[in-house]
Amino acid sequence: MTQIALVTGAAQGLGYAIAGRLFAAGYAVVITDLSLERAQVAAEALDASGERVLALKLDVASKADFEAALAATLERFGALHVVVNNAAMTLTTPVMQISPEEFDRVLSLNTRSIFVGCQVFGAHMAAAGYGRIVNMASLAGQNGGTATGAHYAASKGAIVTLTKVFAKELAAGGVTVNAIAPGPIESPAVRAAVPKERMDGLLANIPVRRLGDADFLGDLVVQLARPEAYFTTGATWDVNGGLYMR
Ligand SMILES: NC(=O)C1=CN([C@@H]2O[C@H](COP(=O)(O)OP(=O)(O)OC[C@H]3O[C@@H](n4cnc5c(N)ncnc54)[C@H](O)[C@@H]3O)[C@@H](O)[C@H]2O)C=CC1
Ligand SMILES: CC(C)c1ccc(C(=O)O)c(O)c1O
């Protein structure tokens, strides 16, 4: 039976790459993003026939959108086996200049969305007796960040903790919950954040001297999504070229 995966923030960047690797591995993929139009363009690029894709608007700030996306997925495909909570906003304001309002905005989008996604999708999966959830954290959540803001780093650190909480809560329902913590990955976001003249400096700081590969993250998700991956849960998988070692 075809397995069904849903990815948030999948219209571009890492989310799109992850959706692509899941699709290549045989999944039917629900591409969700803030804008339905952009999700539709991405879904069509993945599968012009539309047979194994569904595009949905899912603003991760809205619990109602999560619930509607679950209902639409079940209506179209009849099941949901894998969720990748990928969407986030990145702000790079220096720590002493972040207002309390801006701090709240980043935390409430990046962290609360993981909390709500794990609640809504996790409850369904646990009731069904099987599921795989992967949350997108970041190296910034482990080392405090450098290129990114303090609120972003804090929001990602909290995702590591929430991943453990939900892993314990959902284990009895056959659901694993893991996080991936990437360092700088070759992506439009990194190209936008790091001007050409600073790229050599960034690479000089990465022990392997290269950016990471988004398709590799997708392949890691495919591995974590396998039924055989039942024994890894609550874990954070580091993909950072040696920038941070525990
Ligand atoms: N690019 C990188 O090197 C790294 C990325 N990450 C994380 O990976 C994830 C994806 O990052 P990128 O692809 O680089 O980002 P991106 O900015 O290129 O893509 C993010 C996607 O999320 C969508 N999005 C934004 N707000 C949303 C909302 N409220 N609801 C639904 N969708 C929304 C955007 O429309 C966009 O399609 C994020 O969680 C980011 O924090 C972590 C470490 C490194
Ligand atoms: C693309 C953005 C700005 C970015 C860059 C670097 C990291 C990191 O090293 O942790 C991120 O998490 C990012 O989101």
Side-chain angles (χ1 to χ4, degrees):
M1 195 188 85
T2 304
Q3 295 263 302
I4 318 301
L6 180 150
V7 185
T8 67
Q12 70 176 49
L14 308 192
Y16 180 71
I18 290 166
R21 298 313 293 162
L22 285 163
F23 183 81
Y27 285 83
V29 184
V30 185
I31 306 274
T32 75
D33 210 290
L34 205 44
S35 130
L36 176 61
E37 291 69 29
R38 290 182 61 246
Q40 283 169 332
V41 169
E44 205 175 308
L46 219 52
D47 181 10
S49 78
E51 280 168 23
R52 264 199 299 133
V53 287
L54 171 65
L56 295 175
K57 179 211 168 227
L58 196 181
D59 177 352
V60 299
S62 159
K63 185 173 182 184
D65 275 14
F66 276 102
E67 290 166 341
L70 174 61
T73 301
L74 296 179
E75 189 183 335
R76 167 73 192 276
F77 294 119
L80 178 61
H81 306 99
V82 178
V83 165
V84 184
N85 287 312
N86 164 76
M89 71 192 295
T90 307
L91 288 182
T92 58
T93 316
V95 60
M96 301 308 265
Q97 293 164 28
I98 297 172
S99 67
E101 293 74 24
E102 184 177 315
F103 186 87
D104 285 351
R105 193 149 56 88
V106 174
L107 267 286
S108 75
L109 187 81
N110 292 3
T111 312
R112 200 185 67 175
S113 65
I114 300 282
F115 170 68
V116 174
C118 287
Q119 262 192 347
V120 171
F121 296 130
H124 167 79
M125 289 170 165
Y130 179 83
R132 299 282 180 262
I133 297 176
V134 180
N135 296 326
M136 195 58 75
S138 167
L139 168 66
Q142 298 165 310
N143 72 358
T146 46
T148 56
H151 36 19
Y152 177 82
S155 77
K156 292 294 182 175
I159 289 170
V160 170
T161 306
L162 276 177
T163 297
K164 294 176 188 171
V165 172
F166 278 104
K168 287 180 186 165
E169 180 65 26
L170 298 174
V175 182
T176 66
V177 188
N178 290 287
I180 298 179
I185 304 297
E186 177 60 70
S187 60
V190 164
R191 289 289 163 188
V194 185
K196 262 196 175 126
E197 61 275 14
R198 281 187 31 223
M199 187 52 79
D200 282 351
L202 171 65
L203 294 177
N205 270 329
I206 303 176
V208 305
R209 303 278 187 270
R210 295 174 68 179
L211 296 177
D213 173 30
D215 282 345
F216 174 79
L217 296 182
D219 290 335
L220 178 54
V221 168
V222 169
Q223 288 303 318
L224 294 173
R226 296 174 67 208
E228 293 80 359
Y230 69 91
F231 208 54
T232 174
T233 193
T236 296
W237 290 73
D238 296 343
V239 184
N240 59 41
L243 267 168
Y244 175 82
M245 301 180 202
R246 301 163 201 257

